[in-house]
Every structure is written in C-alpha cells, then in structure tokens.
Amino acid sequence: MVHTVSAPRLAQRTWHIKGQVQGVGFRPFVYRLATELELGGTVRNDPTGVTIEAWGPSRQLDELERRLPAEAPALACVESMSRVLRPATSPVTSTAESPLGDGFRIIDSDRSPARRGRVTVDSAVCPDCLEELFAPSDRRHGHALINCTNCGPRYTIIRDLPYDRPLTTMAPFEMCPRCVEEYENPADRRFHAQPTCCPACGPRLTLIDHEGGTIDGDPIRAAGRLLGNGGILAMKGLGGYHLVADAGCEPAVARLRRGKKRDHKPFAVMAPDVESLRPLVELTPEARGLLRSPICPIVLAPRRDKDAVAASVAPGSHRLGVMVPYTPMQHQLFGAGGRHLQALVMTSANLSDDPLISDDEEARQRLAGISDALLTHDRP
C-alpha cells in the first residue's frame, strides 16, 4: 500500500495594529519574525498604524500573533491588535503553487485618506550609534546626525503620515549607495530606518555668525572653544534651538539670564553622563534609570554642592534640574570642550514666555542679541 502525505493547509490572516508602531523599527521586526517562522505575506504602514497580511500553517500564524506584542521593539507600544481570520486555502503540492513562494515583504505604505494614527516620539541616541560616532575607523565617525532604527528624530521630522522618508524632512537627502545597502538589508539595524544618513549623503553641520557667515574650522570644536571662553551658543536641537553656556562660568550664565529676560527661574544643567552628575545632585535609582532611558528627561534632584555651578544657574534653590545628552551633537560638544566643560546650561532659545524658535533664519535674527554664534545644520 502506498501512503501519500498531503501538504498542510494554509491559512491567511490580516492584523491591524495601532499605537506607537511607526518609526520604531516595527516593520523590520515583523519582517524578521515572519521570515523566521517561514511565513509569506506583507507588512506596511497605513495612516492609522501598521497592517500585516500573512499566510502559512495555522500553528506558525498563532506563534506570530503571540510574539508580535510580546517581542516588539523597545520604542514600540502596541495599543491594539485586531485580527480577521480568512478561510484556509486549498492544500498546496509545490512551491510554485504556494503563496509562500513570494516570501514575506515590506511593501509601500497605504496613504489613503483616513483618521491619523499616533506619531512616534524622538528618542535619545542609542549606545550603538554612540560607539560608531566616536570610533575613528567607523564611516560615521564624527557624524553629528547619526541615527538608526533604535534612536534619533521621529516626531520632529515628520511632515505627514504614514511615516516614510518622502514624508519627512529627510526627503531632500538622497541616500548614498552604502546607506541604501544598509536600508535594504534585513540583518542591518538601519533596515528601513527613515532618517538614516552618513557624512556622504546626510545633512551638514555648520557654525555661523549672526550675519550668516560660516565660521572657519570644525564646527563642533569651534563651538566648544567658544563655550570654554565664556561665550553663549545657539544650538539646533531636535525640536528647536537651545541656548548653551558653561554652567561653571558666572559671567556667561548671568549674561544668558539677562538676554532671555529670565529673572529667577532656574536653568537646567546638562552633564556628559549620569556619573558626571554625582558632584552636583543626589540621584535615586529611579532618577538614574530615567536619565539612561530613551526619553532622557530633565530630572529635578536635591543639590549636593551649591557652589558646583555658577550662582546664576539656580539662585536660591535647593534643587537642580539635570539631564544628560540625548543628541549626537550634545555628546560631541562635551568632547570638544575638553575637561573645562563639565556641565552646560541647556535652555530653550526664546525670550521668556515666547514660543521656542525652530526656524533657522528666525534664530539667526532673533538670537543675535543673546548668543555669539549658531551651531546648526541643513535638516529642517
């Protein structure tokens, strides 16, 4: 007697996922997971989240459904996951007849008009990018706008949803061949990282005066020297400009306070890392965890030595608002200033009660009476 073994029946399922799932490496995560489970199908962004269509044996589809929310990327937040179970297909007898023959793919986003989904927040630069930033042998060494799927700008570069490069302020910057290779490689952490770039193809950093003229030399090093000499810097951040001064230089901090018309409200202070804050404040384990997290907030903590920073930083206060760098430029600035820059006042670039300045030309004109130079770049 001859026994025949029939191929397993294939089921097809569609999931729609809402939450913080765009700009956090969610589609590459789905791709890798579905490929591991040997499923066919597609994943794409849509105006309200992410849509997944997958087909394969029911057991693998169940496994995909279980692992999607459980193993989502660190920056992702799955708020809802709805599923539609479709009828099983007929048994397949060969790869040619199987829908699995196409494998699993990331496809173009659905941009049909619909209610808008959740916009992903910006995230502090990750340890992997920091390692590349300061590694002389790395091709992104010194690249002030380094980022990857796990970190960098999101909210502040989005022009519209879904979150794809053409709908961000990175659209004018065409990726070089090496960046394209990383972007298209499922094994690379820059796989489908929309803001990805490098010194060859990304935005360029410049240090300019308030007349718009470029200041000679390496922008970061020149900015560090300016701060070390008691100057005030206007620095382009993620959501707008900051005003920066050496927190240990009383004349600079007092001048900054006068320029902002900020009489008594304390300034926040940035140190190179959490350990560097030890002489300044007392930090609880919870506070240390927050400072090391991707949100990288300002933490209000009891002061240790009130003379550790200039008197004008937080006059009359027994607490100090502290933070650590969350952009590559900020990390570089401490290195450029040498040991002299142990802490920086980092405050919003605006006059008291005015909106934060985010436009380059507005910053050049309106901050002329406060700052000595602008450390900026050409990514809007």
Side-chain angles (χ1 to χ4, degrees):
M1 180 180 294
V2 178
H3 294 277
T4 58
V5 179
S6 60
R9 296 176 65 88
L10 301 181
Q12 183 174 359
R13 294 181 193 170
T14 299
W15 293 275
H16 185 65
I17 300 177
K18 295 181 180 180
Q20 187 168 291
V21 289
Q22 294 190 21
V24 293
F26 196 81
R27 288 179 300 169
F29 155 70
V30 173
Y31 171 89
R32 286 189 288 267
L33 185 55
T35 301
E36 175 190 330
L37 295 172
E38 299 182 337
L39 297 171
T42 60
V43 59
R44 67 180 179 182
N45 283 340
D46 62 55
T48 62
V50 166
T51 298
I52 302 167
E53 293 192 31
W55 48 82
S58 294
R59 181 177 61 82
Q60 280 101 307
L61 292 172
D62 291 341
E63 181 76 356
L64 178 66
E65 184 171 27
R66 181 186 68 81
R67 293 174 64 181
L68 278 170
E71 300 177 14
L75 298 180
C77 177
V78 176
E79 295 178 349
S80 67
M81 182 173 173
S82 56
R83 171 166 70 95
V84 177
L85 179 62
R86 297 184 179 182
T89 67
S90 301
V92 297
T93 57
S94 70
T95 301
E97 296 172 322
S98 171
L100 300 180
D102 290 335
F104 200 90
R105 297 172 294 135
I106 297 176
I107 60 173
D108 291 341
S109 299
D110 174 9
R111 299 181 182 175
S112 59
R115 182 171 58 86
R116 292 307 186 196
R118 181 170 169 180
V119 177
T120 302
V121 297
D122 303 313
S123 176
V125 59
C126 70
D128 289 331
C129 282
L130 272 183
E131 184 176 351
E132 294 173 344
L133 179 68
F134 291 109
S137 61
D138 194 273
R139 77 184 190 92
R140 288 186 173 87
H141 173 246
H143 183 47
L145 297 169
I146 191 171
N147 66 84
C148 71
T149 305
N150 302 320
C151 70
R154 301 293 190 273
Y155 176 84
T156 50
I157 63 170
I158 290 175
R159 294 192 186 280
D160 200 358
L161 291 175
Y163 177 66
D164 291 317
R165 191 175 178 107
L167 298 180
T168 72
T169 61
M170 286 298 296
F173 301 95
E174 184 177 354
M175 284 185 282
C176 68
R178 295 184 70 179
C179 283
V180 170
E181 182 180 355
E182 294 168 341
Y183 183 87
E184 295 178 347
N185 180 4
D188 196 284
R189 82 173 194 282
R190 292 186 171 90
F191 181 49
H192 278 253
Q194 305 305 333
T196 192
C197 57
C198 74
C201 64
R204 301 297 174 89
L205 200 66
T206 54
L207 184 67
I208 63 172
D209 58 32
H210 284 279
E211 300 300 321
T214 301
I215 297 174
D216 293 338
D218 176 83
I220 292 286
R221 291 186 181 278
R225 287 194 298 269
L226 183 150
L227 292 170
N229 291 328
I232 296 176
L233 179 71
M235 180 180 183
K236 194 171 186 177
L238 286 177
Y241 277 81
H242 288 109
L243 289 168
V244 189
D246 181 357
C249 180
E250 174 62 25
V253 180
R255 178 185 155 211
L256 176 60
R257 188 171 287 284
R258 290 193 302 270
K260 278 180 65 72
K261 296 180 172 57
R262 185 165 171 170
D263 294 334
H264 302 293
K265 186 177 179 182
F267 286 128
V269 170
M270 178 179 285
D273 50 48
V274 174
E275 293 308 310
S276 300
L277 291 170
R278 186 183 297 273
L280 305 181
V281 291
E282 299 175 11
L283 292 173
T284 64
E286 181 185 11
R288 289 174 178 271
L290 284 169
L291 288 166
R292 292 187 172 112
S293 71
I295 61 174
C296 218
I298 296 174
V299 170
L300 196 61
R303 297 175 70 160
R304 288 187 185 273
D305 180 1
K306 68 177 183 179
D307 297 323
V309 296
S312 293
V313 169
S317 176
H318 68 283
R319 295 185 294 179
L320 197 62
V322 295
M323 54 183 162
V324 295
Y326 52 88
T327 70
M329 290 169 62
Q330 292 167 350
H331 281 279
Q332 289 176 297
L333 205 53
F334 279 103
R339 294 184 180 180
H340 183 72
L341 295 181
Q342 298 175 356
L344 295 171
V345 168
M346 188 79 61
T347 186
S348 58
N350 60 341
L351 301 182
S352 291
D353 300 324
D354 283 353
L356 177 67
I357 295 174
S358 59
D359 179 75
D360 296 332
E361 184 61 24
E362 183 184 8
R364 188 178 68 81
Q365 294 181 9
R366 296 194 62 194
L367 300 177
I370 306 176
S371 66
D372 300 301
L374 299 93
L375 183 62
T376 186
H377 54 76
D378 55 346
R379 183 185 71 201

